[in-house]
Amino acid sequence: MPAIDYLRISLIDRCNFQCQYCMPEGADLQYLPQAEWLTRAELRQLLQEVFMPLGFSNFRLTGGEPLVRSEVVDIVRDIATLPGVTDLALTTNAFLLSGLAQNLWDAGLRRLNISLDSLDPAIFDRIVGGRGKSRWPQVWEGIQAAHRVGFSPLKLNVVVIPGVNDHEVLDLAALTLDRTWHVRFIEFMPIGNDSLFEQKGWVDSATLRDRIRQRWGLNAGTVRGNGPADVFQIPGAKGTVGFISQMSECFCDRCNRMRLSADGWLRPCLLNETGQLDLKTALRQGISTAEIKHQVAMLLAEKPEINYKMRQSGTSGAYQRTMSQIGG
Ligand code: SAM
Ligand code: SF4
């Protein structure tokens, strides 16, 4: 088992998009009241007094859409300036990025993952929802702004859905030919989106890899990060292509992460709720951070067993909560 040193922190469960696969229409999306969010001070205290003493040094901010939280730049600065943080990254849909990229950089952020499921504005808009003016140009401008500011590695995440965007895989892979970007294809998961999943199904990484290999060839590649992606490079390309295969491959035995939801629930596994701890209530009830640390340490000790059980049961079931609610 790897050391568990990576915490994914959801800053908010709300989002300015409503992606078909993440917040499907009709899903029971009851947003948390703001009073339930971990405050900036609570988050910093938990990292400083609980997680970092237990060996966590890598953090990712996510959501919902983390850039929707108005304090996001301050939260980045709070974490980036904690002694002992070795990596801080953020996952975003990039809609608000062009106005924030420089501020995030100045606050100490160096790594960004951006979701970009399509290069076709009409398809993109159908995936992310909303009416009126296309959202694609503003997202593309956000990606360009991040590139100009110097974010590196800049990773683009693509959830591949048959009949929706799978025909764009080669075009998306081609972005890496003359850019230092890293395009990662993610297998579509049945999380809170049963009917779309049943209707569309999913496509496995091996199939996508073969399509790219047949077009250009593929070499092994590398890219910095904490992720479970298998990384390749098209010969002569500046960037890389990666595959995140949580449906076709089980990587529970390589899992080095825990998740903290916007309302302070610590979750040892994306796909089941075993052993969750309510850290916000503990803090607000005045329980000492020494005691909270002890409880988190016990949960950490249980994680290999939780991972083992997941490995035995497989990951092909459907899960009721959406990624935006869990903290993707
Ligand atoms: N709003 C940000 C974004 O979209 O990048 C961060 C949160 S989002 C929940 C984090 C990641 O989860 C995104 O890359 C998104 O594509 C992915 N995701 C959401 N639902 C998914 C699903 N059902 N299957 C696979 N990936 C999913
Ligand atoms: Fe929002 Fe990200 Fe979920 Fe899309 S994937 S609805 S952008 S949280």
Side-chain angles (χ1 to χ4, degrees), residues 245-293:
S245 316
Q246 70 288 353
M247 292 292 289
S248 58
E249 258 177 56
C250 173
F251 32 67
C252 300
D253 57 340
R254 290 189 265 149
C255 178
N256 65 341
R257 61 188 59 186
M258 294 253 211
R259 288 168 200 268
L260 186 63
S261 70
D263 57 344
W265 282 89
L266 181 65
R267 185 179 179 112
C269 172
L270 171 65
L271 299 177
N272 77 59
E273 304 200 331
T274 313
Q276 289 194 96
L277 287 175
D278 180 358
L279 305 188
K280 181 202 68 205
T281 301
L283 269 183
R284 291 185 187 176
Q285 284 176 345
I287 294 175
S288 70
T289 47
E291 172 54 26
I292 296 175
K293 189 170 98 187

Side-chain angles (χ1 to χ4, degrees), residues 9-221:
I9 302 166
S10 173
L11 294 187
I12 190 164
D13 59 339
R14 302 173 196 194
C15 188
N16 43 4
F17 285 0
Q18 194 176 353
C19 300
Q20 287 176 17
Y21 55 78
C22 177
M23 295 185 163
E25 254 176 63
D28 180 23
L29 293 171
Q30 310 239 351
Y31 294 129
L32 294 165
Q34 190 166 341
E36 297 298 318
W37 303 348
L38 280 175
T39 65
R40 229 180 113 185
E42 286 168 338
L43 185 56
R44 190 178 161 97
Q45 187 183 14
L46 283 174
L47 296 193
Q48 206 163 18
E49 297 174 24
V50 175
F51 288 98
M52 298 195 67
L54 288 171
F56 285 83
S57 58
N58 301 324
F59 303 100
R60 171 173 298 279
L61 303 177
T62 180
E65 173 48 42
L67 301 189
V68 167
R69 184 150 171 184
S70 59
E71 301 159 300
V72 63
V73 173
D74 295 322
I75 292 173
V76 163
R77 189 177 307 102
D78 289 345
I79 301 176
T81 51
L82 284 176
V85 171
T86 53
D87 191 42
L88 175 62
L90 181 142
T91 303
T92 175
N93 62 28
F95 191 63
L96 299 177
L97 190 56
S98 62
L100 283 170
Q102 187 66 55
N103 294 349
L104 290 166
W105 177 273
D106 294 343
L109 189 71
R110 291 293 176 270
R111 294 208 303 116
L112 271 176
N113 286 15
I114 297 173
S115 295
L116 182 74
D117 294 325
S118 176
L119 293 172
D120 178 327
I123 295 176
F124 183 84
D125 291 335
R126 271 203 295 282
I127 295 172
V128 307
R131 292 195 181 84
K133 201 169 129 214
S134 173
R135 290 164 159 204
W136 190 90
Q138 189 168 323
V139 167
W140 188 250
E141 177 44 35
I143 297 171
Q144 303 293 340
H147 180 75
R148 279 196 300 275
V149 165
F151 281 99
S152 174
L154 193 61
K155 296 182 182 172
L156 302 185
N157 290 342
V158 184
V159 176
V160 182
I161 306 184
V164 175
N165 62 349
D166 59 331
H167 61 289
E168 290 191 68
V169 164
L170 294 181
D171 292 339
L172 286 155
L175 292 175
T176 68
L177 294 174
D178 52 7
R179 297 174 178 86
T180 54
W181 296 352
H182 306 280
V183 175
R184 296 140 31 106
F185 298 101
I186 303 176
E187 288 176 350
F188 177 33
M189 298 181 79
I191 298 193
N193 52 28
D194 308 4
S195 68
L196 182 71
F197 190 83
E198 270 166 33
Q199 193 194 335
K200 300 290 185 190
W202 60 286
V203 52
D204 63 291
S205 296
T207 304
L208 303 180
R209 211 158 39 227
D210 284 348
R211 280 170 56 192
I212 298 172
R213 187 177 278 123
Q214 276 167 19
R215 171 69 180 80
W216 290 287
L218 268 185
N219 298 329

